[in-house]
Amino acid sequence: MKTKIFILPLLFVLFLSGCREQTFKKTKFLINSPCEITIIDANSYKAKKALKESFNEIEKVDKLCGYGLDSKVSEINLNAGKQPITVNNELFKIIEESIRIGDLTEGAFDITVGPLVSLWGFDTDKPSLPLKNKIISVLPLVNYKNIKLDKEKLTVYLAKPGMKIDLGGIAQGYAVKMASKKLKEYGIKKALINISGDIMVIGEALENNPWKIGVQHPRKQNELLTILEYKDKSIVTSGDYEKYFFSNGVRYHHIFVPQTGYPAKGTISTTIITDDPMLADALSTAIFVLGAKKGMAIVNKIRNTEAIIISETNDGTIITVSSELEKTNLKFNY
Amino acid sequence: MKSIEALVSCFYTILKKRIKFVFIFYLGTILSAICFAENKVSIKYIMYQDNNQVTIKTTTLDSTIGKKGFDLSVGAVVDGISAASRDIPIVDGVTGATPSSKKKVEKRNEYYVGIGVKEKETTVKVLVDSSKEDDYASSSYFLTATQEFNNRNTALSIGYSNFDDKIFPFGVTWEDEITTKVYDLSLTQVLSPISQVRFNTTYSLSNGYLENPYHRIVVNYDLLSFYYKERHPTIRDKIAYGVFYNLSIPGEMKSSLQLNYRYYFDNWEITSNTYELKYNRYFTDKLWISAVGRNYNQRQAFFFKNFYTEEERFMTADLKLASFITNLYGLGINYALTSWIDLELTYQIYNKKTNLDYSPYVGSVAKEDLKSNLFFSCTSIKF
């Protein structure tokens, strides 16, 4: 009897402690980037299992979209102009979605920029300014409309020899999407996935607060441009301040205008806030290329989508925000 | 071994943009290594990892050439610090452009040269050091003079060090300076053929930019949050008293026991106590092990708060200014491979506990308690 009297309060205490929300956080280096997942949940076992499984999803995407010689993406590129390559349903859908976003953004998002990325050396440690005639010579290889998909046979064919697809502008968003799907399958209601700045928040943070997401200042390392507060959203930023080099005082970065072969001018940072992390990832690149005016016109057409575009002009730095975001009176550190 | 313990603290300090006192201890150790004994080249490799995804790798080359009454020591240190995420603690995540595929590594290069001259019972040593990293540069010199007397059973040593540091943080156009002067006095007394004691006192004065430019403090008002840079006093006076006791334990197997106590206080109202116990034991002429345990407890600076509710004159997000306890445990194996090659391997575990409420969602300064591992290897070649 004494033992029962002792055990009951103990069980009660254990029950109460089990109900308290805890934060579980883990970081891994995948897709060439630090990937961090934060889960807030009362069930330690469930949270740890969900963490593990969602990282497995990111690893799968890493293998699927990677550039190793044995990857499907490499096989598609090596067979450009030769033959269609059969891919799995997942990779087919990523390429299909990339083409759809290419259409949506009037060709500003184009996964066939691979030859340009290689020519400029942004896939190496030492990018450099290529000769103009070399840039012109690879431009015919850059056009997503030359990707031929066969839905029945699940094949991908690059119509011109030398074409190369580069999924760098969408793979991280897709990885975030797959990781979030896995977390939701495990019944996780509060989480944050951050793959190298591509962020998705699920539900709310602790104590029913919205998640606070800082936007990296494009010109001041370790400073934030602004802080956004969201729940159930994807927030992705593209900028010219991480992968770049200077030549004769001009900054050359890695986000190309597919039609000219040169890095986009004017925009220095674009942040997209929308529901789908894959769309957010691709749109942030496309809107960067299109610039504030054309870019914002497209953003306004897409449901539940907001943007912050920072441009450098002759009149100084201009911050353009989409209409709904403007109503929140965001403060900017610029 | 002493240098390893100093390096544990030193690494943690490098990461947090340094506290000069620890750095002084590290270089002071190098200075004391000028020992008029033998020609030697040492290659050291140290790896530090903690639960904040921080890795520090350091390679040190140290060379000493000694003749009777004269020693010359030169060395170079290269280390790289990599972190998985940026150090902006005020938000849940930061969205930004995708970094290049390599992890960002902060590099530090350091070079030093030291000379020691001994004439009868008087020894004078000088060491000059220069260190540079992407956003920090430091130049310093160390002077010590030691006089032995009482049939060399007693030694009195005085020391002076000077540091001129420049800080030029990323992303800003300003730069600032810190000057630090350190005065050291120690008395060593042989008590018996198997025991000795040393009393030591150190005074240091730092003046200048003593904040971490990357730290931010969040203050939550009803609806809005404001972010402030650190504001520390511009002067820091530090005083430390220490006592060290060494006992050689007689027996078939040579062994020794070392006890160390240090009391510290400063004008930021930090006080601390350090207790250390070290045991060395020879198993053969060629093989000996060393075990160390250290406990450190600290009372916080007068302006440290885990949560700031309003803007204040002094504010900090530096956890080194909080109250905390650290424990260090380590085991080292030393092996004389030949008469001229010595190998040393050491593994240490370092834990830090603050007892502060860790609530990143409401802007606490506190982070998860630190747990780190340190691996140290050293190959010394005598010639």
Side-chain angles (χ1 to χ4, degrees), chain A residues 23 27 29 32 34 38 40 125 172 192 194 196-197 199 205-207 211-216 220-224 227 235-239 241-243 331, chain B residues 53 84-88 90-104 170-172 214 216 218 220 224-227 229 358 360-362 368:
Chain A
T23 303
T27 306
F29 204 80
N32 286 334
T38 308
I40 298 172
D125 286 343
Q172 287 180 357
L192 184 150
N194 184 351
S196 193
I199 291 176
L206 271 181
E207 295 161 3
W211 294 94
K212 286 184 181 178
I213 308 301
V215 179
Q216 172 67 45
K220 294 178 184 172
Q221 197 178 7
N222 289 309
E223 290 212 12
L224 299 180
I227 296 172
I235 303 119
V236 177
T237 297
S238 287
Y241 48 88
E242 286 286 357
K243 295 177 186 170
K331 288 189 176 71
Chain B
Q53 309 289 330
S85 57
R86 299 176 179 95
D87 187 18
I88 304 178
I90 54 178
V91 290
D92 302 310
V94 176
T95 176
T98 305
S100 60
S101 58
K102 287 191 173 176
K103 269 188 176 183
K104 285 203 166 166
F170 297 114
V172 298
Y214 305 115
R216 295 289 180 276
V218 59
N220 288 302
L224 292 170
S225 297
F226 282 85
Y227 303 95
K229 292 181 179 177
Y358 169 49
Y361 307 100
V362 287
E368 283 177 275

Side-chain angles (χ1 to χ4, degrees), chain B residues 6 10 13 18-31 140-142 160-163 180-184 202-206 238:
Chain B
C10 184
T13 303
R18 300 174 196 280
I19 280 182
K20 279 294 127 199
F21 193 82
V22 179
F23 199 53
I24 290 161
F25 182 40
Y26 167 52
L27 287 172
T29 310
I30 293 168
L31 185 64
S140 53
Y141 60 87
F142 300 75
Y160 172 73
S161 323
N162 185 84
F163 293 81
T180 303
K181 296 177 190 309
V182 184
Y183 304 88
D184 190 77
T202 303
Y203 169 73
S204 97
L205 174 64
S206 296
K238 303 169 183 175

Side-chain angles (χ1 to χ4, degrees), chain A residues 64 72 85-94 154 156:
Chain A
L64 188 71
K72 270 288 167 195
I85 297 297
T86 308
V87 299
N88 66 13
N89 197 35
E90 208 173 358
L91 186 57
F92 191 88
K93 278 186 177 169
I94 295 171
L154 280 183
V156 181

